[in-house]
Amino acid sequence: MIDFKQALERFYIQYRQELFTYALAILKCSTRAEDAVHDAFCRLIKRNNNPVELKPYVFRAVRNAAMDELRHNPAPAESNGYIFDCETSPREAADLNETSRKIATGLLTLTEDERETVVQHLYTGLTFREIAEIRETPLGTVTSWYQRGLKKLRERLEK
């Protein structure tokens, strides 16, 4: 049987990009997002719990760490205009296409709940049920946030 720390390590290896993207959607800053993921894993290792379902448990821990970061250090009023990490190498920056930029900019126009839900579902692969569990929100509310968020994104992209 795998112990909790080994399970966390395997989970991190498999989902590190999704966890970072999720934290980045909340914090809008790559450095703060990395810190939130790190803080969440430090807390999880100290607790040494063995939850029934690891995926919602870890994503909730990352969300809590990101929200704690926002409470302690509110985000600056201005962001760089993108929800995804744009601090890339020159080659990677050159490869960004116009659609990605429009989507990233469009995500920033959504409410926090809509943006977080869209990112959780599309970019981290969480199901609506898992998102509802992580956010401790009714399933119907989560699906409404998602549908409204996608509608707004579509309208923005069609302009």
Side-chain angles (χ1 to χ4, degrees), residues 83-100:
I83 195 154
F84 300 107
D85 186 10
C86 289
E87 297 174 18
T88 57
S89 71
R91 182 172 185 263
E92 290 170 327
D95 290 342
L96 279 176
N97 63 35
E98 188 63 25
T99 303
S100 295

Side-chain angles (χ1 to χ4, degrees), residues 25-95:
I26 296 168
L27 295 166
K28 302 176 198 149
C29 173
S30 61
T31 304
R32 293 173 76 187
E34 288 172 359
D35 289 346
V37 173
H38 178 264
D39 291 348
F41 273 84
C42 287
R43 291 176 191 171
L44 290 170
I45 288 169
K46 286 178 185 175
R47 282 190 203 127
N48 201 21
N49 292 347
N50 201 0
V52 175
E53 291 190 45
L54 191 59
K55 189 174 182 180
Y57 184 74
V58 173
F59 273 92
R60 181 182 298 150
V62 168
R63 180 179 196 274
N64 290 343
M67 298 305 276
D68 285 348
E69 172 65 24
L70 278 179
R71 276 190 289 278
H72 294 6
N73 302 307
E78 291 214 16
S79 70
N80 63 3
Y82 298 101
I83 195 154
F84 300 107
D85 186 10
C86 289
E87 297 174 18
T88 57
S89 71
R91 182 172 185 263
E92 290 170 327
D95 290 342

